[in-house]
Amino acid sequence: MPYDLLIKGGRVYDGSGMPSYLGDVAVQAGRIVEVGRISGSARRVIHADGLAVSPGFIDFHTHLDAQLLWDPIATSSCWHGITTVIPGNCGLTLAPCRPEDREGILGSFVRVEAMPLQVLKSAVSWEWETFPEYLNHLDRRLGVNVAALVGHCALRQYVMGEEACERAATPGEIGRMKEILRESIQAGAMGFSTNQNPVHMRADGKPIASRFATEEEIIGLAGVLGELNRGSVQISVGTPGISKPADKSVDFFNRLAAAGRPVIWQSISHRWDQPDLWRELLNMARESLAAGFPSYPLCNARLFNNRFNLKNAQVFDDLPTWKQVFFTPIEQRMETFRDPEARQKLRYEAVENHFRSRFSRRWDLVYMIKAATPKNKALEKKSVAEIAQIQGKDIIDAFLDLSLEEGLETLFQTSSNNGDENAVAEIIKSPFTLVGQSDAGAHLIYDAGYGYATRLLGYWIRERKIMSLEEGVRKLTFMVASIFGLYDRGLIRPGMAADLALFDPATVNDCEPEMANDLPGGEKRLVQKAVGVKMTVVNGEVLTVDGEHTGALPGRVLGRSERVIP
């Protein structure tokens, strides 16, 4: 009987980190059935001469919970060799959710992940209430695979209503949360996520629900995964060492990991305001693993480019006066920005004061990238510090005057993280770090990190040569699959699922993001294309060729039939 698919003559990078080799890969019924020199016939033969054949990449830090409802192939992710995505990070999911809590749940996505409310309202159909029902809804129509986490915010709100955003939970409420989490994991959820980031709020200005959870509550929920011996815990705190001492943060991660399940914590990056913090965190990660705790920091292969205008800017959210201003109506906000007394307070926090903040206060690293009026086009690509010097103004005056002149539509870009490439290289190549944090599906008009995998392969491995291609593929595939319990993914071996990426090692890379109007209702977002990715294969079917969707929808929700939980 002929194979369904036969990939001939590629160089196989099997995901294990072992040396690559020239070989063929045969696929039948969605599974890899043979690897090596294969002479049999197939319904479809792909000649992969000059191409790398690897397991499909697993994007483990996404916010595609809503996007998958209208975009089952998860663009732009699938263009970069991604075959499995993990939504539900940072404590945010669309389930479980009662009808009366929908506004609050959407409000968390709107503010934390910068998603347009009108898009969410028009596209989220709410044909579910429980997490298993949400998984059933997703499973009807998928191009990529989905391994979903249960978000702590939704879990709290489902049990506590609006009081979830006001107080700690009672023992009885924690018990109910544990029951719902257990039911969700047994139905196919691949873990649990929580968010303790002190700057994360809902659209109404309330802290997101998970920020009110005690450590005992979070440890209790992690214990459910330990009891079931299944699933991973993802926790967002921003950067340990900023809002909370690094040693206390890592100690808490270790206490979570004591439940016996992997903990993925966010994150390690280079910061301009604390240039040596990354070394301290890497050492702590090494010590945690040496002590036997399955606790893994995530990192990213790209510069964190935060695009913003003064209609929607999160970069200043841990500066108290700025935060207060951004929760006022636009007209009132503009009046505040004009007020000399208010400017003094804003200047003190964003220029003069040196308390820890995710905003770097490096105004030489805040660039005006798009003017809203023709008059100011000449200032594009100049830093705010340069503009202030040109205009002979104070930095804050130059920044606010320009924004006010353009109705707060002026687009800026800055980065507090990953500016030192030598530091980033050390972080990425550490054996203790997970490379990801794409945030796919979030920050739609301000950032696009879909191409973290192709950037790792192209820039960091081919150009900077920080590790072997075999090791890079392992970090994008088998390492992720192992930590998240995707036991039949991440390797090219007989019996494994046929999720594959075919790419050209000589050209693979990410492209600069570009704006598209492809959201529901014609709303705009940044998309990011790739070069050098020839093909993605999901469960044995070709999903994309040269970035074009074949029309196939072979994806499915993972974790439901791979393993039976008693």
Side-chain angles (χ1 to χ4, degrees):
M1 184 174 70
Y3 301 113
D4 292 333
L5 181 66
L6 180 58
I7 300 170
K8 298 279 290 182
R11 191 170 189 96
V12 178
Y13 294 79
D14 69 5
S16 70
M18 294 286 287
S20 60
Y21 58 89
L22 294 174
D24 310 327
V25 179
V27 174
Q28 187 74 38
R31 297 271 162 184
I32 297 167
V33 291
E34 279 196 77
V35 180
R37 287 283 181 239
I38 301 170
S39 58
S41 62
R43 294 184 177 89
R44 180 171 184 177
V45 178
I46 296 167
H47 295 282
D49 304 71
L51 297 178
V53 181
S54 79
F57 309 138
I58 302 169
D59 189 350
F60 61 87
H61 192 94
T62 84
H63 294 284
L64 292 163
D65 311 68
Q67 184 179 323
L68 289 164
L69 301 173
W70 70 78
D71 177 17
I73 67 171
T75 56
S76 307
S77 300
C78 61
W79 301 336
H80 296 268
I82 303 295
T83 56
T84 297
V85 299
I86 300 182
N89 286 275
C90 300
L92 301 176
T93 46
L94 294 172
C97 183
R98 303 183 196 279
E100 60 268 27
D101 295 323
R102 291 170 182 172
E103 286 290 323
I105 292 296
L106 292 185
S108 297
F109 281 92
V110 168
R111 181 63 186 169
V112 176
E113 305 304 340
M115 299 179 185
L117 181 60
Q118 63 271 24
V119 171
L120 293 174
K121 282 187 170 181
S122 66
V124 177
S125 60
W126 298 112
E127 296 176 33
W128 61 85
E129 179 174 313
T130 68
F131 202 84
E133 289 169 348
Y134 171 72
L135 294 181
N136 289 340
H137 185 81
L138 272 187
D139 217 7
R140 298 175 188 171
R141 187 169 175 265
L142 284 174
V144 295
N145 297 313
V146 173
L149 305 177
V150 181
H152 196 180
C153 290
L155 196 57
R156 282 189 118 244
Q157 189 130 6
Y158 192 74
V159 171
M160 301 172 64
E162 273 299 291
E163 291 188 30
C165 295
E166 298 168 1
R167 62 173 175 82
T170 66
E173 288 166 338
I174 294 173
R176 180 61 181 140
M177 281 186 247
K178 291 168 71 173
E179 290 175 10
I180 296 168
L181 178 59
R182 183 177 292 105
E183 293 165 1
S184 300
I185 298 294
Q186 290 173 325
M190 296 303 295
F192 161 73
S193 74
T194 188
N195 188 336
Q196 302 300 299
N197 193 321
V199 302
H200 282 177
M201 297 163 287
R202 300 195 317 187
D204 59 7
K206 288 185 177 181
I208 57 173
S210 58
R211 285 176 53 191
F212 289 92
T214 62
E215 290 189 354
E216 290 72 23
E217 176 182 327
I218 300 170
I219 290 171
L221 290 167
V224 172
L225 307 186
E227 293 166 15
L228 295 172
N229 195 30
R230 178 185 171 101
S232 301
V233 178
Q234 185 272 328
I235 180 167
S236 172
V237 296
T239 298
I242 301 302
S243 58
K244 186 177 181 180
D247 57 344
K248 290 186 178 181
S249 294
V250 174
D251 175 69
F252 180 53
F253 304 151
N254 291 344
R255 285 189 284 141
L256 286 176
R261 303 307 306 164
V263 172
I264 299 90
W265 51 271
Q266 187 177 347
S267 59
I268 299 181
S269 62
H270 166 267
R271 292 180 59 93
W272 289 115
D273 60 340
Q274 290 184 274
D276 295 318
L277 178 59
W278 65 271
R279 293 184 188 276
E280 183 182 353
L281 290 171
L282 271 185
N283 287 334
M284 290 180 181
R286 180 187 298 110
E287 292 167 1
S288 294
L289 288 162
F293 297 109
S295 175
Y296 303 92
L298 65 83
C299 68
N300 211 321
R302 66 187 178 92
L303 188 70
F304 283 83
N305 283 323
N306 191 324
R307 297 170 179 85
F308 68 93
N309 61 32
L310 294 192
K311 284 188 172 180
N312 188 343
Q314 297 170 298
V315 69
F316 304 109
D317 274 359
D318 50 4
L319 304 179
T321 304
W322 290 82
K323 171 184 171 182
Q324 183 179 2
V325 172
F326 279 109
F327 279 96
T328 61
I330 296 297
E331 289 302 319
Q332 182 181 340
R333 188 180 312 172
M334 293 175 75
E335 286 302 313
T336 303
F337 286 149
R338 291 188 183 99
D339 179 59
E341 187 176 339
R343 285 194 180 194
Q344 286 293 340
K345 294 179 181 178
L346 295 170
R347 178 180 296 104
Y348 175 73
E349 293 176 3
V351 178
E352 300 166 12
N353 197 299
H354 295 289
F355 65 83
R356 288 178 179 176
S357 165
R358 66 175 179 173
F359 177 58
S360 67
R361 298 184 177 85
R362 290 280 303 270
W363 290 94
D364 59 320
L365 299 177
V366 181
Y367 296 92
M368 197 268 263
I369 60 173
K370 189 173 182 181
T373 61
K375 172 190 171 185
N376 292 318
K377 285 286 183 185
L379 298 177
E380 290 181 348
K381 299 185 179 178
K382 288 181 169 57
S383 72
V384 172
E386 288 179 274
I387 294 169
Q389 187 174 28
I390 291 168
Q391 297 178 342
K393 292 183 177 181
D394 169 85
I395 280 177
I396 293 299
D397 288 337
F399 178 60
L400 295 179
D401 287 348
L402 175 59
S403 295
L404 287 166
E405 181 184 341
E406 300 197 330
L408 306 191
E409 296 282 0
T410 316
L411 189 62
F412 298 93
Q413 177 175 294
T414 190
S415 177
S416 299
N417 297 354
N418 279 359
D420 182 339
E421 288 202 344
N422 291 327
V424 176
E426 292 299 317
I427 296 167
I428 292 171
K429 69 182 183 182
S430 165
F432 315 116
T433 57
L434 276 164
V435 180
Q437 204 174 353
S438 75
D439 267 355
H443 313 294
L444 298 177
I445 64 172
Y446 299 111
D447 198 12
Y450 305 99
Y452 75 94
T454 46
R455 181 165 180 77
L456 175 67
L457 299 172
Y459 180 69
W460 291 106
I461 293 176
R462 184 180 63 247
E463 297 181 27
R464 290 288 303 267
K465 297 180 172 53
I466 69 167
M467 67 178 75
S468 69
L469 185 53
E470 287 88 348
E471 174 62 8
V473 168
R474 185 192 72 84
K475 273 186 166 277
L476 296 172
T477 59
F478 181 59
M479 183 178 185
V480 183
S482 300
I483 290 170
F484 281 89
L486 305 174
Y487 299 116
D488 64 343
R489 317 272 151 173
L491 284 175
I492 296 180
R493 294 278 195 280
M496 301 295 282
D499 291 348
L500 303 166
L502 279 65
F503 62 91
D504 182 355
T507 62
V508 66
N509 221 324
D510 61 333
C511 297
E512 278 296 310
E514 55 192 73
M515 199 65 75
N517 292 81
D518 66 348
L519 290 176
E523 292 288 329
K524 63 183 179 180
R525 66 163 177 157
L526 286 168
V527 298
Q528 186 179 33
K529 296 179 181 178
V531 293
V533 178
K534 179 65 180 177
M535 187 175 293
T536 55
V537 177
V538 175
N539 295 319
E541 294 187 48
V542 177
L543 180 71
T544 65
V545 178
D546 294 324
E548 296 293 329
H549 182 209
T550 63
L553 292 173
R556 58 191 180 91
V557 171
L558 304 181
R560 314 189 83 184
S561 59
E562 288 84 354
R563 198 168 166 210
V564 176
I565 303 298

